[in-house]
Amino acid sequence: MIPPIANNFVAGETSDGAVSHVESLNRDGIAGILNLLGEHYTDRADADADADAYVDLVRQLGATNLDGCVSVKPSQIGLDIGDHAFRENLDRIVDAADAEGVFVWVDMEDHETTDVTLDAVDDLGHRTGGNVGVCVQANLKRTRDDLERLADVPGKVRLVKGAYNEPASIAYKEKSKVDEVYEELLEYMFTEFDDGVAVGSHDPHMIAHARHLHEQYGTPYEVQMLMGVREDGQRDLADADIEMWQYVPYGDKWFSYFYRRVRERKSNALFALRAVAGI
């Protein structure tokens, strides 16, 4: 059972709980991106089981009128086992979602997964006419080139700053530099993408920058934030008629995800861990 403090960041252990959370979000004008927690599987049976769960989830969403989609981690559905396992599972998730009219995001993990992830999204974006999206990370020095490639691929692209501890040879390490590059890449997206710009940030400055770029170039965009982070701000953006999406994790592997969120807010760490332990 998920303790109350963790419920701020995780929408329960089952798909029913997660879908119910999306229903609640929709009442506030916010859409939901559902992510079944799990990653870095080395057993094909585990990867196949989570892929099965995603197929069931998109069918569950497709049977509703909810404003929601799903997001999948490559290492969760077989990438650590092999490229073939990853593509087989991703293909069947995307095929099921496309049949249901449910959008699929493919999360980006560390730099060793970038090429195979982009290749899959390039292929599936063209196959589905844009019913897939991918995340790219501003801290990677290669990302401008990746965006130039993705500008011709149907679908959406989410720009985040990047959370993985990548080598300095391939990634910007200083926060100020990452912020500078994020702004530059965001402007490139607004000028070169016809649609599908997703601003994955809780930074008010970046969100304001995106709003300015939209006013300047007219490119449609959306803002994406995590469940449990700046939720008042999320509602404010939705009330301002900005397309707002919340990333909604769920599942029984909640503890490691919750622990990462706690580490990001160190002032709350002791309180949160005590709540988990029930002391």
Side-chain angles (χ1 to χ4, degrees), residues 19-41:
V19 171
S20 178
H21 181 77
V22 173
E23 185 177 7
S24 176
L25 287 175
N26 285 182
R27 288 195 290 269
D28 287 333
I30 301 170
I33 305 170
L34 292 177
N35 170 244
L36 173 62
L37 292 168
E39 57 190 318
H40 296 297
Y41 293 148

Side-chain angles (χ1 to χ4, degrees), residues 59 85 260:
R59 289 173 178 161
R260 287 199 298 272

Side-chain angles (χ1 to χ4, degrees), residues 11-70:
E13 294 187 315
T14 67
S15 63
D16 287 345
V19 171
S20 178
H21 181 77
V22 173
E23 185 177 7
S24 176
L25 287 175
N26 285 182
R27 288 195 290 269
D28 287 333
I30 301 170
I33 305 170
L34 292 177
N35 170 244
L36 173 62
L37 292 168
E39 57 190 318
H40 296 297
Y41 293 148
T42 56
D43 188 320
R44 178 68 190 258
D46 292 333
D48 289 350
D50 274 17
D52 290 343
Y54 270 111
V55 169
D56 291 341
L57 177 62
V58 298
R59 289 173 178 161
Q60 186 175 2
L61 280 173
T64 73
N65 292 318
L66 295 178
D67 198 356
C69 64
V70 301

Side-chain angles (χ1 to χ4, degrees), residues 133-252:
V134 68
C135 176
V136 296
Q137 301 168 101
N139 67 330
L140 292 182
K141 296 176 181 178
R142 62 173 288 168
T143 296
R144 173 59 182 263
D145 291 336
D146 292 335
L147 286 174
E148 290 179 3
R149 170 187 182 179
L150 290 167
D152 295 325
V153 177
K156 298 181 182 181
V157 178
R158 174 200 304 145
L159 181 65
V160 300
K161 292 183 181 180
Y164 291 90
N165 185 21
E166 304 285 19
S169 59
I170 64 167
Y172 304 110
K173 307 298 284 186
E174 294 183 4
K175 181 182 181 303
S176 59
K177 180 62 176 178
V178 175
D179 287 349
E180 176 188 336
V181 172
Y182 190 99
E183 290 190 51
E184 292 172 355
L185 295 178
L186 204 57
E187 181 159 15
Y188 174 81
M189 293 172 73
F190 272 85
T191 57
E192 299 299 326
F193 285 33
D194 294 328
D195 198 358
V197 176
V199 183
S201 178
H202 302 94
D203 185 340
H205 175 76
M206 298 305 174
I207 294 168
H209 182 54
R211 193 169 189 172
H212 169 73
L213 291 170
H214 170 69
E215 291 170 354
Q216 183 175 0
Y217 297 109
T219 309
Y221 77 107
E222 63 193 56
V223 176
Q224 299 182 3
M225 296 189 195
L226 296 172
M227 178 181 176
V229 182
R230 292 197 63 224
E231 291 203 348
D232 286 345
Q234 295 182 32
R235 286 186 285 272
D236 288 343
L237 289 170
D239 288 344
D241 293 327
I242 292 173
E243 186 175 346
M244 182 70 232
W245 290 76
Q246 184 181 106
Y247 190 92
V248 181
Y250 77 96
D252 59 10

Side-chain angles (χ1 to χ4, degrees), residues 117-132:
T117 301
L118 293 180
D119 288 346
V121 170
D122 191 336
D123 177 37
L124 291 168
H126 285 98
R127 184 198 303 179
T128 64
N131 202 47
V132 296

Side-chain angles (χ1 to χ4, degrees), residues 75-94:
S75 72
Q76 178 181 19
I77 57 170
L79 187 55
D80 288 356
I81 299 161
D83 294 1
H84 183 66
F86 163 60
R87 281 304 307 269
E88 279 190 346
N89 279 329
L90 181 61
D91 284 3
R92 64 192 185 92
I93 293 167
V94 170

